Every structure is written in structure tokens, then in C-alpha cells.
Amino acid sequence: QDALLLVQEAKPECRGRWYLPAGRMEPGEGIVAALRREVKEESGLECEPLTLLALEERGPAWIRFSFLARVTGGTLKTLEEADAESLQATWWPGDPRALPLRSLDILPVLELAARYRRSPPHPPTLPRELPCSPLCLRLLLPFSNANGDLWLLLATGGELRLPVVACGTSPAELRAGLRPPLLRLLRDCLAWEPRPGALGLLGLQHRAGGPGGADGICFNVVLSIPPGNQRDEPPEPRDPALRWWPVREEGLRGRILHRVSAAVPVRS
């Protein structure tokens, strides 16, 4: 009905202001479980996620997931039920800027949600329940030339697969962003320093409390390289564990090129 679920903050530093339901994941908690819990605590409603809208990051130490979700049950929280989580919740039918907002940083998320409802720019994207020990990036790196030839960078250890890069392996990397490990891979393993384009999220895997208490996340990302950086053929890898694989099957080529432009945006 074109109304937006907003909650009124109870925290002393922003008490009485309005915001989207939001909060931190707890130790040992899955991403979707945290989403359901926070919405329930702050609004009284139960929900199911439909898709990720955006991934915001300031390196491995600060990552925020923004979801589009639908209500499945519960009762809207009233002032009589105010607690430390929130004062109340409401369905707001108008421009949220008419309310005193906790922060304007929700406005770009609302634009992404409206765009997704009109015409989804990417497939529904939700976390997969698969364990991962560190926080890492699985990279889809396509290389194409002016003739339309396409290659993918693959790792050759055992079966061919997309290369994986660990993040946050030193204190200096914790707030350095997710892109530096990928750029280091291009520089050190390919002797290539192109001007990279946008970083997009294709999917992610996370299972809280995995083997040995593992609580990492693997982000499947696509890094685009603008045409001005390109040559007739991709640069020869320095590392024998990497190789370029030519994509000759037309159907697969089309699907890869489509996903390059149909990914969840990553905002750094």
C-alpha cells in the first residue's frame, strides 16, 4: 500500500526520532535471524526477507546489510508497549523526510527499494546457509576486448574455480574497505593495475557457529573493469595458480555479462 514501516527510537542519543528497523547481529547469530529478531523487537511485526538491496561497508570491521522484506504476522508496536528497543512503530504513507529522522542515510535505501519494486535490477539475493571460517571475497573478474571476446579469471588448484581472497588479515585492513584485497590480487598476481569500476555483490554465504565456531562470511563479488583499461588479451598471470579461461559458449557468455550489470550494489 506504498506505506513504509518506521520505528521511533528509544536510545537516549536519538530518542523520539524515526528510523528503519535496524540493529546489530549478536554473536552466533545468522544474518536473516538477526533481521527477523530486530524487526520483531522494534516494531512488533514478523517478517521474511525478499532480497538484499545494498551492502554498505567500511572494511571487514563494519558491514551493513539492507534488505527488502514483507510482513508475515505480528502486531504493530504501540506507545503503551515502549521499551528499550523502541518507543513505537508506524506505517508511514508519505515522505519520511516530513518526520524527524535519526539519520538521512536511509533515503538511498528507500530509493533502491522503490526501484526494486518497479523493476528489479538484480535477482532476489539472500544469504546461503553455508559455513565459512574467515571473511573473504570470491571474485568474478570478466575481461572482454573490443571484439567481444570474454575471459574469466580462475584458480587452478584442483578443480577450476573462482579465486578467493581473504579480508581483514591484519589490523590495518580492518577498516580499509573490501576492494584493496582484490586490487592487490590484480597487482601482485597479474602485474596489472587497471582503473577498476564498480564492485557488485552476486551472493553471500554465512552460517553462524560453523565448524570450530567459524563465523566468517564469503561474499561472491563481481569487479568490473571499464573498457578504457583493456587490451586485446588479458594480462598473463604471474601466479601459476591462476589462469584466464575463454568463454566461448554463447549462452554462458550472455549470462555472465548480464550478471555483471545485475548485482546488488556495494557502497564503500
Side-chain angles (χ1 to χ4, degrees):
Q1 299 175 354
D2 292 325
L4 172 68
L5 179 64
L6 294 174
V7 297
Q8 193 172 33
E9 296 283 4
K11 302 181 187 68
E13 64 271 20
C14 55
R15 187 178 180 85
R17 295 187 173 272
W18 295 86
Y19 203 63
L20 293 177
R24 297 187 180 191
M25 293 171 59
E26 295 179 350
E29 185 175 41
I31 299 170
V32 171
L35 162 74
R36 295 191 185 111
R37 175 183 56 78
E38 287 289 350
V39 172
K40 179 68 173 177
E41 290 174 351
E42 296 192 352
S43 74
L45 300 179
E46 298 165 356
C47 75
E48 282 296 322
L50 299 174
T51 185
L52 269 164
L53 290 173
L55 177 73
E56 299 174 71
E57 59 94 5
R58 301 171 192 168
W62 192 97
I63 297 173
R64 179 158 64 183
F65 305 94
S66 297
F67 286 91
L68 179 67
R70 66 180 179 90
V71 171
T72 58
T75 305
L76 202 63
K77 191 173 190 176
T78 65
L79 275 174
E80 289 73 24
E81 300 168 299
D83 55 21
E85 299 294 338
S86 67
L87 300 180
Q88 62 177 323
T90 189
W91 288 106
W92 184 255
D95 187 340
R97 288 171 292 187
L99 293 170
L101 296 178
R102 169 183 161 183
S103 172
L104 298 179
D105 65 352
I106 65 172
L107 298 180
V109 177
L110 302 186
E111 292 175 5
L112 288 174
R115 178 187 175 195
Y116 196 93
R117 292 182 65 196
R118 290 193 305 268
S119 177
H122 55 79
T125 304
L126 294 171
R128 297 285 305 277
E129 284 268 343
L130 295 170
C132 183
S133 295
L135 193 149
C136 59
L137 303 169
R138 183 182 288 116
L139 176 63
L140 178 69
L141 182 67
F143 181 100
S144 60
N145 59 21
N147 296 325
D149 301 317
L150 179 68
W151 293 262
L152 287 183
L153 185 67
L154 297 179
T156 58
E159 294 183 356
L160 291 177
R161 56 178 174 79
L162 298 177
V164 176
V165 180
C167 300
T169 55
S170 69
E173 290 183 351
L174 288 179
R175 294 192 179 275
L178 298 181
R179 289 163 61 97
L182 301 176
L183 300 182
R184 186 167 58 248
L185 172 73
L186 301 186
R187 182 185 67 243
D188 296 346
C189 298
L190 298 178
W192 190 33
E193 296 195 45
R195 179 176 60 85
L199 184 64
L201 179 70
L202 300 172
L204 67 157
Q205 65 186 60
H206 172 256
R207 179 186 294 164
D215 196 27
I217 301 177
C218 182
F219 296 104
N220 299 321
V221 297
V222 55
L223 183 65
S224 59
I225 305 296
N229 288 301
Q230 296 181 359
R231 311 161 329 172
D232 290 336
E233 293 186 354
E236 189 68 25
R238 284 178 173 175
D239 190 336
L242 296 174
R243 61 164 284 192
W244 290 100
W245 178 63
V247 182
R248 296 192 173 93
E249 201 272 305
E250 193 60 30
L252 177 59
R253 180 181 179 278
R255 292 197 298 274
I256 292 171
L257 293 177
H258 173 71
R259 286 312 310 271
V260 169
S261 60
V264 175
V266 177
R267 299 185 170 188
S268 303

